[in-house]
Amino acid sequence: MATRTLVIGANRGIGFELAKQLTKKGREVIATYRQDAGDLSSLDVQTIGGVDIADAAGVEKLEDGLGGKRLNEVLIVSGILRSSTLEDPN
């Protein structure tokens, strides 16, 4: 049985590359995104859209999309871009 990995925030950048590389290594990847799937359709992964882990409804979508599947790994590669600087984190 392949290792099952959930990648939260996999639609672009580091998350997309992680999903791509893990798939090449034979992992079963479940990739989530909030609004735009990007190029995830080019990968052999299960996708779950509308997942915002900072929102209860988004977490419910994730739970529904997983359908009770057990996970071996969870990689969270998502964040919020704010206009503040490191000098003023508020």
Side-chain angles (χ1 to χ4, degrees):
M1 175 187 247
T3 299
R4 183 176 293 140
T5 304
L6 172 66
V7 182
I8 298 174
N11 59 320
R12 62 189 182 120
I14 294 170
F16 179 81
E17 191 62 29
L18 278 170
K20 181 178 170 182
Q21 295 301 320
L22 291 169
T23 301
K24 284 182 180 180
K25 291 182 181 283
R27 305 273 179 90
E28 178 185 345
V29 175
I30 303 169
T32 74
Y33 60 94
R34 278 188 307 155
Q35 297 173 348
D36 177 16
D39 291 329
L40 284 173
S41 63
S42 68
L43 304 180
D44 184 23
V45 300
Q46 175 189 341
T47 59
I48 305 172
V51 174
D52 182 345
I53 59 172
D55 176 66
V59 173
E60 286 180 23
K61 285 183 183 184
L62 175 59
E63 183 179 11
D64 292 344
L66 289 173
K69 290 182 181 176
R70 292 187 176 268
L71 303 170
N72 300 104
E73 302 170 325
V74 177
L75 304 175
I76 302 173
V77 191
S78 63
I80 299 170
L81 178 62
R82 296 188 181 180
S83 61
S84 64
T85 66
L86 293 176
E87 290 81 28
D88 180 24
N90 297 318

